[in-house]
Amino acid sequence: MKLTIATRGSKLALWQAEWVKSKLESMGHEIDLKIVTTTGDKILDKPLAEIGGKGLFIKEVEEALLRGDAQIAVHSLKDFPTQYETDHFTLAAIPVRESVEDVFLSENFETLAELPHNAVVGTSSIRRAMQLKAFREDLVITDLRGNVDTRINKLKDGKYDAIILAKAGVKRLGLLKSVKYFEVLDTDIMIPAMGQGALGIETINDSKVIEAVKPLNDFRTQICVTIERDFVDTLNLGCHAPVGVYAKIMTDDSIKVKAALLKDDKMIKKEIVIPFDEWENAGKEFAKEFM
């Protein structure tokens, strides 16, 4: 089957699209790429939360699908809205998840705990800023926009004492060791964004296209990110809200879910453990504890 993937043009987005392309080609499909520039790519001088709207990296990609320029889109699932236009599109597959954690990067300091008083830390995420402040109230949090390599270059230029990024993106681009020091942050300190480390493969509502990508779906990853997305959706929060949520299937097949949310200028943090067969409503029920 001949198919076209719509993708943003950043190095990370292209890596993700190429990964899906290679998987589909190995199944006998003929795949092209269509590069699209999104609102989130165009506006680089403002924090993401300030720009407003859901799916800052999604809208123009979906427009390419509507025009018929492509049949498939590959997204970082943490940027993918919990509510979307199901009349035209479907989230057809969620491949096996990469690392979920955030990573601390610095040219001068080995760990987050070792940063000096009033150190400047760069991040574009109010979720990360919330949890950084809870861990170290003295830290000066400064906005950091741009692609992964752009953000790392800003660190190397001395504009920040450290920056925080999603480990998955840095790892996928082979940049984890491009900075002198890095520390993978434990999820007890920094709860990830919903869907962090996972890809979402969106397709047009065409049964043949959906069936073509279905083999890339990983059911255990789908369970975990569904819990996370249901949690955020139930609280009516967007992709860039001050909320972290992480679901993990344990060795005994129970599921641990932990979340952090900024409410009335105070961070609320909780976790639960549920039986595997209760996963379908877990995100919604857990969210009620934060209302």
Side-chain angles (χ1 to χ4, degrees):
M1 191 173 184
K2 186 170 183 178
L3 297 164
T4 300
I5 297 173
T7 175
R8 296 166 56 210
S10 71
K11 287 182 180 179
L12 181 56
L14 287 171
W15 185 99
Q16 294 171 171
E18 288 285 359
W19 184 87
V20 173
K21 177 175 182 281
S22 68
K23 295 293 183 184
L24 292 173
E25 286 175 338
S26 71
M27 293 187 284
H29 302 291
E30 185 180 341
I31 310 295
D32 291 324
L33 298 184
K34 169 74 175 178
I35 297 175
V36 178
T37 302
T38 68
T39 301
D41 296 312
K42 294 172 187 173
I43 305 174
L44 297 175
D45 59 347
K46 294 181 181 179
L48 291 172
E50 207 176 285
I51 301 172
K54 294 184 178 182
L56 295 170
F57 300 106
I58 306 295
K59 181 174 177 286
E60 289 85 354
V61 173
E62 289 188 334
E63 287 173 353
L65 299 185
L66 281 175
R67 289 194 303 268
D69 294 345
Q71 299 77 43
I72 301 170
V74 179
H75 307 286
S76 292
L77 196 60
K78 69 185 180 72
D79 295 324
F80 195 76
T82 56
Q83 298 180 8
Y84 57 97
E85 184 53 71
T86 52
D87 287 345
H88 300 294
F89 316 114
T90 187
L91 190 57
I94 300 169
V96 65
R97 200 176 204 174
E98 181 48 275
S99 305
V100 302
E101 299 94 347
D102 288 293
V103 64
F104 164 95
L105 301 167
S106 179
E107 287 292 291
N108 299 300
F109 306 99
E110 292 190 34
T111 68
L112 177 62
E114 290 180 17
L115 284 174
H117 189 72
N118 289 335
V120 177
V121 181
T123 177
S124 60
S125 162
I126 53 177
R127 168 190 63 84
R128 292 181 183 129
M130 166 187 73
Q131 293 181 88
L132 284 169
K133 280 291 189 180
F135 182 72
R136 286 274 306 271
E137 191 175 352
D138 65 289
L139 296 175
V140 178
I141 314 299
T142 306
D143 191 54
L144 173 66
R145 291 291 314 281
N147 298 326
V148 173
D149 47 352
T150 301
R151 298 184 194 196
I152 289 176
N153 286 335
K154 288 179 180 179
L155 172 68
K156 288 178 174 290
D157 288 342
K159 295 179 181 178
Y160 306 90
D161 294 306
I163 62 174
I164 310 293
L165 298 175
K167 182 187 174 187
V170 183
K171 184 179 176 182
R172 282 169 175 151
L173 293 177
L175 295 173
L176 202 55
K177 294 184 179 179
S178 66
V179 174
K180 190 171 182 181
Y181 300 114
F182 74 88
E183 177 192 18
V184 179
L185 299 177
D186 191 280
T187 57
D188 285 337
I189 295 173
M190 184 70 70
I191 299 175
M194 65 166 186
Q196 186 158 304
L199 300 181
I201 303 177
E202 183 182 23
T203 70
I204 57 172
N205 270 336
D206 181 305
S207 59
K208 291 182 179 178
V209 179
I210 293 169
E211 286 305 310
V213 305
K214 276 288 185 187
L216 296 182
N217 192 65
D218 180 74
F219 184 56
R220 289 171 76 87
T221 298
Q222 181 187 346
I223 286 172
C224 291
V225 300
T226 298
I227 292 170
E228 295 164 13
R229 289 169 58 77
D230 283 351
F231 176 87
V232 173
D233 188 58
T234 301
L235 291 170
N236 196 29
L237 299 171
C239 305
H240 304 289
V243 56
V245 57
Y246 174 42
K248 180 181 180 181
I249 300 175
M250 310 302 285
T251 54
D252 63 356
D253 274 350
S254 64
I255 303 174
K256 179 185 282 188
V257 191
K258 48 188 169 184
L261 170 67
L262 190 65
K263 187 175 182 180
D264 300 325
D265 294 324
K266 182 181 178 182
M267 188 176 80
I268 304 170
K269 198 171 183 179
K270 299 181 181 183
E271 72 173 52
I272 57 169
V273 178
I274 60 163
F276 186 84
D277 59 5
E278 294 180 12
W279 72 266
E280 288 188 46
N281 293 311
K284 296 171 186 175
E285 291 301 315
F286 191 32
K288 292 175 183 178
E289 297 186 21
F290 288 78
M291 290 178 172

